[in-house]
Amino acid sequence: MATLRFHELGVDDRLLKAIADLGWAKPTLIQEKAIPLAMDGKDLLARARTGSGKTAAYLIPIIQNLLQSKMSVSEQAVRILILVPTKELGHQVQQMIRQLTTYCARDVRVADISGQADISAQRPILMEKPDIVVGTPSRALVHMKQQTLCLRDTLQALVIDEADLIFSFGFEEDLKNLLCQLPKIFQSFLMSATFNEDVQAIKELVLHNPVILKLEESQLPDSSQLTQYQIQCEEEDKFLLLYTLLKLSLVRGKTIIFVNNVERSYRLKLFLEQFSIPACVLNSELPVQSRCHIIGQFNQGFYDYIIATDEQSLSDPSEKKGKKPAGKRKGGRGEKGQDSEYGVSRGIDFHNVSTVLNFDFPQSVDSYIHRAGRTARANNPGVVLTFVAHTELPLLADIEEALGGGASQESVLHPYRFRMEEVEGFRYRCRDAMRSVTKQAIKEARLKEIKEELLNSEKLKTYFEDNPRDFNLLRHDKALHPAIVKPHLKNVPDYLIPPSLRSVVDPLLRKRKRRRMQPSSSKVPAKKQFKKTQNPLRTFKYTKGNKKAATKTGAGQS
């Protein structure tokens, strides 16, 4: 456990104030070990689990050293280069730098060149010579070749974040070419969640006599912070169980639902829409700005459920214009049109995630660890629930062994106690919804999303202004209805709720039902009020006066 405080590490007062604003009481283990070494100018190779604070572990000393160097050097230049494997991680690193430099923003300027697709739009930003540049290796290399990014005489430090993904995302050749255009002497940092062959190769290329920090800690938080469950169920039961968990509020708080491919994510989204359960989809087909926007909305609480694919399902890096593929991804071929610089289960900081639900079983031990690392971050508790098919039991055994469990030891992924026979009454509803989610519905849902992205694209705005006919054709194209939503599936009848779950089900859901079934007296329809007060057969009263009047009338008539 960390014993030092940030002020004991010799950090600038402006940084300390920003750290206090972020609510960090004390450094994590990786921060306590790495910050003093980095401030002394050492090269670092650091391995620490996802969510342990690796980003701040290199940013704090980098900003500290930059502030000190700027006291003696007046010339503005790019002095720090941070390489990341994904655009989302680049955006996140930039945001963290801005938070840490809140009180010294005039002295430290940062530019993220990983997020925007248009290279020409980034040239004016780099011409201002920001102190720190964040980007993917391929984008940084393009700017170096175009001489809009020159580091040969000014670079002080190079950081490669999530280093174990750099080669696997196809950046091997880009990185080698990029290193040829850097000075011979600079400080280097390699930050990674795992040590593999790729990290060893990068270490030999970049580091000079580094200090290796391989912290003796588990790959995931202990059971007091992270609870891990598994439940064995086949395909149809997965949908039934997910419906039950979400609709009856058995899973609460922000939840990330992981699937293994893009089509699967849309199938699950359309399935949940049948029951009026809102969820957003995050996958590699979406433009980077849209992905960052979705992550931002999820973090701000606009959505409770996000359906995400991870890097295991992505394709090999596709060829770019005038450029051969830099390398090959691990994990085989994926779907056409996906962004090779995309990754969800690695690096991205989802805020306050209470549950990670593996709807599809992760394809490797590393993938499970990185998915689980989206929750139980910092000191917050978290839950991981994994659906396991019969054919996936060998993979489950591999994960148990990697996390310290096994046949001779206590299971790390505890069996989730759930009686499927108690929710059989919901099965017909799930089957009804699954019949509506056809292949054609999934195709139309993906087309609809692409159409909306085209209409909202800032990059195509100028084109549509010059070609209004194309804009109107796209805007007034035939409306797509991906799946027919049946209104009766929105509500859950009381008689379908299992007796053992009635005390657990969200009381607000049941309270709303009571209100609908017991209308107040003030809302009685006007027709009923009229019948009650104006019906002459009920209001007529016999009196003596009425009888005399009736007798006289009868005599007169005779």
Side-chain angles (χ1 to χ4, degrees):
M1 296 293 291
T3 56
L4 297 177
R5 299 284 179 173
F6 282 107
H7 69 271
E8 297 176 297
L9 299 175
V11 179
D12 189 282
D13 289 342
R14 291 169 289 180
L15 273 174
L16 290 175
K17 195 173 180 181
I19 290 170
D21 289 348
L22 289 169
W24 299 348
K26 59 183 180 180
T28 62
L29 184 59
I30 182 65
Q31 291 167 1
E32 181 186 5
K33 301 294 184 184
I35 290 174
L37 293 169
M39 288 171 62
D40 287 341
K42 303 287 187 182
D43 282 11
L44 291 182
L45 172 57
R47 184 197 75 80
R49 68 172 182 237
T50 302
S52 61
K54 293 193 300 293
T55 305
Y58 69 77
L59 284 182
I60 291 174
I62 278 177
I63 297 170
Q64 173 69 24
N65 292 342
L66 187 61
L67 290 171
Q68 289 183 343
S69 65
K70 295 194 77 171
M71 294 175 65
S72 58
V73 179
S74 58
E75 182 184 0
Q76 184 65 32
V78 179
R79 304 185 189 280
I80 310 295
L81 176 63
I82 301 175
L83 299 178
V84 292
T86 67
K87 298 172 182 177
E88 292 89 351
L89 183 54
H91 179 74
Q92 178 184 312
V93 171
Q94 182 196 37
Q95 291 298 107
M96 179 62 70
I97 294 171
R98 287 181 173 169
Q99 288 175 330
L100 289 171
T101 58
T102 302
Y103 300 100
C104 53
R106 292 183 179 180
D107 297 320
V108 179
R109 290 186 285 175
V110 59
D112 175 19
I113 61 172
S114 62
Q116 296 181 358
D118 190 4
I119 293 176
S120 60
Q122 296 173 349
R123 289 173 188 155
I125 300 172
L126 292 176
M127 287 179 66
E128 296 180 1
K129 297 182 179 180
D131 300 286
I132 304 174
V133 171
V134 183
T136 58
S138 59
R139 184 52 58 92
L141 182 61
V142 169
H143 282 292
M144 286 181 175
K145 289 181 176 179
Q146 295 181 359
Q147 297 184 344
T148 51
L149 179 62
C150 300
L151 301 170
R152 193 174 292 277
D153 299 323
T154 61
L155 186 69
Q156 290 182 359
L158 170 69
V159 179
I160 302 180
D161 201 356
E162 300 290 355
D164 52 337
L165 289 185
I166 290 291
F167 280 5
S168 63
F169 270 63
F171 293 127
E172 182 175 358
E173 291 300 321
D174 287 337
L175 182 62
K176 290 178 180 178
N177 293 332
L178 184 150
L179 293 173
C180 293
Q181 302 190 43
L182 299 182
K184 292 184 179 180
I185 301 175
F186 54 86
Q187 188 179 14
S188 300
F189 301 84
L190 288 190
M191 315 301 289
S192 177
T194 58
F195 281 168
N196 56 22
E197 295 178 1
D198 291 344
V199 175
Q200 186 64 29
I202 297 176
K203 171 190 170 186
E204 295 174 0
L205 288 171
V206 177
L207 300 179
H208 307 282
N209 192 23
V211 176
I212 300 176
L213 293 177
K214 189 174 182 180
L215 303 183
E216 295 299 327
E217 60 178 359
S218 60
Q219 294 177 296
L220 291 173
D222 58 32
S223 58
S224 63
Q225 184 179 356
L226 178 65
T227 309
Q228 302 175 70
Y229 295 106
Q230 54 88 9
I231 182 168
Q232 296 183 25
C233 54
E234 300 306 320
E235 181 67 7
E236 183 178 307
D237 289 343
K238 285 185 179 183
F239 287 89
L240 173 60
L241 186 56
L242 181 67
Y243 163 78
T244 306
L245 292 173
L246 300 188
K247 197 64 181 177
L248 299 185
S249 300
L250 301 179
V251 171
R252 303 188 184 188
K254 290 184 179 180
T255 303
I256 303 178
I257 305 169
F258 275 108
V259 293
N260 286 343
N261 58 61
V262 176
E263 181 181 358
R264 190 83 159 157
S265 65
Y266 283 101
R267 179 179 295 278
L268 199 53
K269 182 180 189 298
L270 293 176
F271 171 78
L272 294 177
E273 280 183 358
Q274 299 292 305
F275 307 103
S276 301
I277 301 174
C280 55
V281 170
L282 185 64
N283 60 63
S284 57
E285 286 187 341
L286 301 175
V288 63
Q289 296 291 350
S290 296
R291 298 198 297 257
C292 292
H293 182 255
I294 289 169
I295 294 168
Q297 284 195 315
F298 179 75
N299 287 339
Q300 293 172 33
F302 288 95
Y303 295 96
D304 282 336
Y305 310 116
I306 189 166
I307 304 168
T309 59
D310 65 10
E311 80 279 354
Q312 295 293 328
S313 66
L314 301 187
S315 60
D316 296 339
S318 56
E319 291 192 18
K320 299 179 182 179
K321 292 182 180 180
K323 180 180 176 181
K324 295 181 180 179
K328 288 190 177 182
R329 274 213 45 132
K330 296 180 179 178
R333 290 181 178 270
E335 297 182 37
K336 187 177 180 182
Q338 291 177 329
D339 189 345
S340 62
E341 297 179 5
Y342 160 88
V344 171
S345 73
R346 289 296 300 274
I348 306 305
D349 189 13
F350 295 97
H351 298 169
N352 303 320
V353 175
S354 61
T355 306
V356 167
L357 200 156
N358 289 316
F359 188 84
D360 288 339
F361 199 84
Q363 298 175 356
S364 68
V365 175
D366 284 345
S367 181
Y368 176 84
I369 292 171
H370 298 315
R371 288 183 182 187
R374 300 301 98 213
T375 186
R377 298 174 74 88
N379 295 319
N380 298 319
V383 175
V384 179
L385 175 60
T386 303
F387 294 166
V388 187
H390 179 73
T391 57
E392 295 163 341
L393 290 177
L395 290 172
L396 176 63
D398 292 342
I399 291 173
E400 287 277 7
E401 185 178 355
L403 296 179
S408 60
Q409 298 179 356
E410 185 181 355
S411 176
V412 178
L413 277 71
H414 305 292
Y416 187 73
R417 306 297 180 187
F418 196 90
R419 298 177 183 174
M420 292 296 294
E421 62 271 12
E422 291 191 352
V423 295
E424 282 297 320
F426 295 130
R427 189 176 294 276
Y428 80 94
R429 289 175 155 244
C430 292
R431 286 177 176 172
D432 197 12
M434 290 171 70
R435 279 193 291 268
S436 300
V437 185
T438 61
K439 289 184 177 180
Q440 183 63 26
I442 295 169
K443 181 180 178 181
E444 290 191 1
R446 294 170 76 169
L447 288 173
K448 182 178 181 180
E449 199 155 70
I450 292 171
K451 175 182 172 182
E452 291 175 355
E453 292 295 339
L454 290 173
L455 289 172
N456 297 326
S457 172
E458 289 293 328
K459 191 175 180 181
L460 293 175
K461 192 174 182 180
T462 306
Y463 172 82
F464 284 138
E465 289 175 355
D466 297 336
N467 301 272
R469 185 174 179 273
D470 290 350
F471 179 78
N472 290 328
L473 285 173
L474 186 64
R475 186 178 182 183
H476 301 295
D477 196 6
K478 180 182 176 182
L480 295 174
H481 303 284
I484 300 172
V485 178
K486 300 176 178 63
H488 72 278
L489 295 177
K490 179 179 180 180
N491 301 315
V492 182
D494 285 335
Y495 66 84
L496 284 179
I497 300 175
S500 61
L501 296 178
R502 286 177 183 171
S503 61
V504 185
V505 172
D506 188 0
L508 291 176
L509 179 66
R510 303 177 70 186
K511 190 179 289 185
R512 291 190 197 110
K513 288 183 180 179
R514 291 194 200 101
R515 287 176 181 173
R516 286 197 296 268
M517 295 175 67
Q518 297 177 359
S520 61
S521 59
S522 61
K523 293 185 179 180
V524 177
K527 289 184 178 179
K528 290 184 178 181
Q529 290 179 353
F530 174 78
K531 288 180 180 179
K532 187 174 181 180
T533 56
Q534 302 297 330
N535 189 344
L537 295 177
R538 293 186 176 184
T539 58
F540 176 78
K541 292 181 179 180
Y542 173 77
T543 61
K544 292 183 179 181
N546 288 341
K547 182 179 180 182
K548 290 179 181 179
T551 304
K552 289 179 181 179
T553 303
Q557 288 176 349
S558 61

